[in-house]
Amino acid sequence: MSVPRLIVFDLDFTLWDCGGVWCDCLCPPFRVQEQRIEDATGRLVRLYDDVHAILKHCDDQVISIALASRTEQPGWARELLTHLEITERFAYAEIYPSSKLRHFAALQQASGIAYEDMLFFDDEMRNIDEVGGLGVTSVFVREGLTAELFHASLNRFAEHRRCDPA
């Protein structure tokens, strides 16, 4: 089975929920107590239920993973990743306010991996359309990434590659 060489994840509403808002709408400072992360207003920041298992699967399969997040507060996003103890899992991280096209150009440059060998998850259709136009297999995430969607997408990627004469 053909697997992606790089799997790229968006953050807000894809890997995590920040109390129903984007992470740049939170109000630091962040408080970490008993495995809970809250902003100053009490909004809870949490990974979606299946994210740890998904990241473990990528580790077990030795698939590089990356982040591509368009946020006005990249420092806050990085701080939350640290609090969630997942920063070190990502080989690459493009976290700044810009087009996902710029994020993916930087990821391709840094990794040397062709767009066709990447799989991308995001909750915004405009990003799926833009990045999909590069040749990246792009998957729309409706309400947080689930193991079911992740594994179905791996199968879709493999099927697409099997049918690709290149």
Side-chain angles (χ1 to χ4, degrees):
M1 179 164 109
S2 180
V3 297
R5 292 187 53 215
L6 182 66
I7 299 178
V8 183
F9 301 99
D10 175 49
L11 287 172
D12 293 326
F13 303 108
T14 300
L15 288 188
W16 67 31
D17 175 63
C18 294
V21 299
W22 295 287
C23 74
D24 53 13
C25 295
L26 294 172
C27 297
F30 302 113
R31 294 184 302 264
V32 182
Q33 297 176 359
E34 300 173 15
Q35 305 292 334
R36 291 176 52 100
I37 302 166
E38 293 181 357
D39 76 351
T41 68
R43 283 193 187 103
L44 181 65
V45 177
R46 68 174 188 87
L47 294 173
Y48 288 107
D49 293 342
D50 295 343
V51 169
H52 281 295
I54 290 165
L55 298 179
K56 183 179 181 325
H57 177 86
C58 294
D59 289 346
D60 292 347
Q61 298 300 310
V62 193
I63 301 170
S64 291
I65 57 176
L67 296 169
S69 178
R70 176 185 19 240
T71 178
E72 296 294 325
Q73 296 292 340
W76 296 357
R78 290 181 187 282
E79 182 179 348
L80 292 170
L81 288 164
T82 299
H83 289 316
L84 290 163
E85 300 178 355
I86 61 171
T87 303
E88 70 284 346
R89 306 219 44 190
F90 298 95
Y92 311 96
E94 299 297 318
I95 303 173
Y96 46 83
S98 183
S99 163
K100 294 288 173 134
L101 296 177
R102 181 173 169 210
H103 291 149
F104 272 82
L107 290 170
Q108 196 282 322
Q109 178 74 26
S111 69
I113 296 172
Y115 292 134
E116 294 78 18
D117 293 325
M118 296 180 188
L119 177 61
F120 173 51
F121 294 91
D122 197 292
D123 69 302
E124 291 187 54
M125 191 52 76
R126 66 179 171 155
N127 296 330
I128 296 302
D129 292 341
E130 274 187 350
V131 174
L134 297 172
V136 175
T137 301
S138 300
V139 179
F140 179 63
V141 177
R142 289 189 192 281
E143 295 178 21
L145 188 58
T146 63
E148 180 181 5
L149 177 61
F150 178 76
H151 290 291
S153 300
L154 287 177
N155 291 336
R156 178 180 144 210
F157 180 90
E159 181 64 24
H160 179 262
R161 293 304 301 240
R162 189 180 67 75
C163 295
D164 188 1

